[in-house]
Amino acid sequence: MNNEQLWQAILGEVELNLSRANFTTWFKQTFISSCENDKVIICVPSGFAKTWLEKKYHQEISNAFKNVGQINIKEIIYKVETRKVNPNDKNLKDINTNNKEDETPNKPFILNRFGLNTHYTFNNFIVGKNNELAHAACQAVAANPGHAYNPLFIYGDVGLGKTHLLQGIGHELAKRTNKILYVSSEKFTNDYINAVRGGQAKEFKERYRNVDILLIDDIQFMGGKDGTQEEFFHTFNELHQANKQIVISSDRQPKAIPALEKRLSSRLEWGMIVDVSLPDLETRIAILETKCREKNYKMEENILAYIASHVQNNVRELEGALTRLIAFYEFNNTQPTIDATKNVLSGILSSFQTKSTTPKTIIDAVAKFFDINIKELIGASRKKETVLPRQIIMFLMRKEINSSYPSIGQELGGRDHTTAMHAFNKIAKEIKEDERLKQTIDSIKQLLYNSCQ
Ligand code: ADP
Ligand code: MG
């Protein structure tokens, strides 16, 4: 396995534990420049990214090296260094051009100039019963932007292809226009806050309102952010009136998004609403086949079928399992077999197990442990008896299921993300010094994992 392949396997691991937004923000343009003996040098594009990787993701990265079999690595060094890329470099071009030379099999994280992942094209999307309608609607929008369905609203659980579809539209339209904007709602929010702070509201408006297509991913995170919603509302109106296409994704239907203004959620229902759900076995096998092709790796169909029948929860996990298996076989320089796959996969599956933990199961476990009413926990009470349990909830949501700070704040009655961040840091620090707190949290975790199995 060369450095490139190794880093790809590591990214595949790390990706499983991070939100898409964090993942692309902190890991784009990273690479391994050297890996010798027990020392590896990871290059990052900026000092800022270096600090984040060192401070926030070091543990994840270090675990990932172990998980892909690199158990001898003792030292990980982060270094600011960018790889020279020519903007005309074929790797950066949209691979949806069907250009045979334009293969980027081992680089799933290369982004094109619009910030779109070059692998998230319609070509690479497998259509099954679970996403047929969503896929058709996306194609209609790509063929007739601003007129087919506006807005198009796609919803469904995590890891079922919403981002892929959104970006698929982006790639199609990139053939025709430069004015494409793909952002997560978290980025929209941050951009807006920064613009207001920096006195650049006008530039912000120009940027967001002067597009032919606006793709907003994971809009549920806008819940509770009144100022941002207001701004988005006006952006929406202006684009819609000018027949500019808007496509939105979410983990639930507009009406069900907590703390989203009524006038906004009703606009989100103006066009077409489609859902994506769990793919069936055949679709899962077909997805694995595509992913193997993308990675230029051959695996027998019966092995793919075995994987597909055991990883059922979502496509991201399915892909994560495949990436880890490939890394395993490449590292050990062996051909995939059913027996070895069974072994390796059982380890991978148990690492997915925590996924069945959700914000709700965490809140329930904490409420049960402290014997506090859930309403009170989520509510505004500042009583001492509720403050600590609430902070523990926030800590666990971050630590156990890697929820983003905005979503943690939202789960807890629409609190600000800085509150969640503060709670996490506070508990993380105290747990090191306070044995009782540590025990408390361990007991809650026991409750949590015993109750959701
Ligand atoms: P979501 O945004 O719904 O959480 P993503 O779009 O990020 O999910 O999908 C997770 C992973 O699964 C991505 O790597 C994506 O390419 C892959 N994926 C999901 N659905 C499909 C599909 N139908 N065909 C091919 N790949 C898929
Ligand atoms: Mg997504």
Side-chain angles (χ1 to χ4, degrees):
M1 189 154 48
N2 63 25
N3 287 345
E4 191 82 37
Q5 290 161 339
L6 173 61
W7 188 232
Q8 196 220 334
I10 299 291
L11 290 176
E13 285 277 316
V14 171
E15 191 189 11
L16 292 171
N17 295 315
L18 294 188
S19 74
R20 170 71 61 188
N22 272 331
F23 182 72
T24 35
T25 308
W26 303 115
F27 287 87
K28 72 179 171 219
Q29 291 171 29
T30 56
F31 59 96
I32 290 181
S33 69
S34 105
C35 177
E36 274 160 20
N37 307 323
D38 56 359
K39 186 165 141 189
V40 58
I41 299 179
I42 297 172
C43 294
V44 299
S46 67
F48 200 41
K50 177 173 181 286
T51 314
W52 269 83
L53 260 52
E54 278 169 353
K55 295 255 172 340
K56 305 267 181 198
Y57 298 128
H58 178 72
Q59 198 54 49
E60 262 105 353
I61 294 170
S62 160
N63 291 344
F65 273 98
K66 295 204 179 71
N67 288 342
V68 303
Q70 296 277 10
I71 40 177
N72 294 327
I73 300 289
K74 298 224 166 47
E75 198 181 354
I76 301 177
I77 296 168
Y78 303 91
K79 188 173 149 204
V80 179
E81 187 179 320
T82 43
R83 204 168 4 200
K84 297 265 171 301
V85 256
N86 175 341
N88 295 323
D89 188 314
K90 64 186 167 84
N91 289 339
L92 287 174
K93 279 199 204 144
D94 183 350
I95 60 161
N96 200 25
T97 50
N98 279 336
N99 185 346
K100 271 273 181 309
E101 287 167 12
D102 198 0
E103 278 175 343
T104 53
N106 281 322
K107 301 194 181 70
F109 308 108
I110 300 259
L111 301 177
N112 77 356
R113 67 203 156 100
F114 301 108
L116 304 173
N117 181 322
T118 52
H119 279 252
Y120 291 174
T121 61
F122 287 147
N123 269 353
N124 294 340
F125 192 81
I126 299 294
V127 184
K129 284 200 189 61
N130 60 310
N131 55 27
E132 227 165 23
L133 190 61
H135 177 258
C138 288
Q139 287 211 309
V141 160
N144 203 358
H147 297 281
Y149 312 109
N150 204 11
L152 173 63
F153 188 96
I154 308 168
Y155 75 94
D157 279 341
V158 70
L160 295 180
K162 301 182 294 295
T163 297
H164 192 138
L165 281 171
L166 230 61
Q167 297 206 0
I169 299 176
H171 281 296
E172 279 303 303
L173 291 177
K175 294 174 186 164
R176 281 184 267 157
T177 170
N178 274 329
K179 296 204 255 169
I180 294 178
L181 204 47
Y182 163 84
V183 285
S184 64
S185 75
E186 281 168 308
K187 175 151 178 12
F188 184 92
T189 305
N190 290 339
D191 278 2
Y192 178 63
I193 293 171
N194 290 335
V196 172
R197 274 196 200 133
Q200 291 182 316
K202 191 162 156 264
E203 285 78 0
F204 177 91
K205 282 191 176 53
E206 264 162 27
R207 183 163 130 75
Y208 279 93
R209 297 186 193 185
N210 182 28
V211 295
D212 289 332
I213 172 152
L214 180 61
L215 305 157
I216 301 265
D217 211 351
D218 288 320
I219 195 145
Q220 71 272 12
F221 295 131
M222 235 185 246
K225 311 243 164 45
D226 296 347
T228 307
Q229 283 182 35
E230 163 103 29
E231 179 62 30
F232 180 63
F233 178 77
H234 295 299
T235 307
F236 182 102
N237 288 344
E238 197 155 317
L239 291 175
H240 196 269
Q241 249 158 36
N243 286 333
K244 304 298 186 192
Q245 181 70 46
I246 303 159
V247 187
I248 290 160
S249 84
S250 164
D251 66 350
R252 57 199 96 179
Q253 296 213 39
K255 267 200 209 74
I257 301 174
L260 194 70
E261 273 189 62
K262 181 114 199 341
R263 59 176 185 168
L264 189 52
S265 68
S266 83
R267 270 176 177 61
L268 300 181
E269 291 172 345
W270 273 359
M272 169 93 151
I273 300 186
V274 287
D275 75 326
V276 286
S277 56
L278 281 172
D280 59 18
L281 181 66
E282 279 67 39
T283 312
R284 294 202 298 279
I285 297 175
I287 291 173
L288 286 175
E289 273 168 355
T290 321
K291 301 292 171 188
C292 277
R293 229 181 0 259
E294 275 175 38
K295 292 173 201 287
N296 247 347
Y297 193 85
K298 280 206 173 47
M299 217 184 254
E300 302 272 330
E301 167 131 10
N302 63 338
I303 300 184
L304 295 182
Y306 181 85
I307 304 169
S309 61
H310 285 81
V311 188
Q312 306 166 342
N313 281 347
N314 74 50
V315 183
R316 185 168 300 156
E317 286 184 357
L318 189 65
E319 203 179 340
L322 180 71
T323 308
R324 283 161 79 162
L325 281 163
I326 294 178
F328 172 86
Y329 288 120
E330 286 191 334
F331 184 71
N332 292 299
N333 216 352
T334 51
Q335 289 301 314
T337 62
I338 270 282
D339 283 341
T341 299
K342 273 185 194 165
N343 271 335
V344 181
L345 198 62
S346 70
I348 298 174
L349 286 173
S350 64
S351 77
F352 286 156
Q353 230 172 40
T354 50
K355 290 284 165 61
S356 56
T357 312
T358 64
K360 191 176 171 311
T361 60
I362 292 178
I363 295 176
D364 288 348
V366 173
K368 197 161 155 196
F369 183 86
F370 288 101
D371 195 27
I372 301 181
N373 183 311
I374 291 181
K375 266 209 191 110
E376 198 160 324
L377 266 180
I378 300 181
S381 158
R382 287 171 174 274
K383 271 195 271 170
K384 215 171 135 217
E385 307 86 273
T386 52
V387 171
L388 180 67
R390 193 180 289 139
Q391 288 176 335
I392 292 179
I393 293 179
M394 299 195 213
F395 171 79
L396 288 174
M397 283 185 183
R398 182 70 188 171
K399 183 100 182 149
E400 298 300 304
I401 54 175
N402 248 296
S403 300
S404 71
Y405 289 123
S407 71
I408 296 175
Q410 205 180 306
E411 293 289 347
L412 284 156
R415 289 180 154 77
D416 193 65
H417 72 281
T418 52
T419 310
M421 212 183 277
H422 169 77
F424 176 79
N425 290 333
K426 177 172 169 280
I427 301 287
K429 183 159 166 271
E430 280 178 10
I431 216 173
K432 291 199 190 114
E433 299 151 6
D434 184 344
E435 186 57 32
R436 256 188 67 199
L437 180 65
K438 188 178 171 298
Q439 277 177 13
T440 301
I441 290 181
D442 284 343
S443 313
I444 296 172
K445 277 206 245 171
Q446 262 178 19
L447 207 61
L448 188 62
Y449 292 122
N450 292 336
S451 64
C452 57
Q453 266 159 22

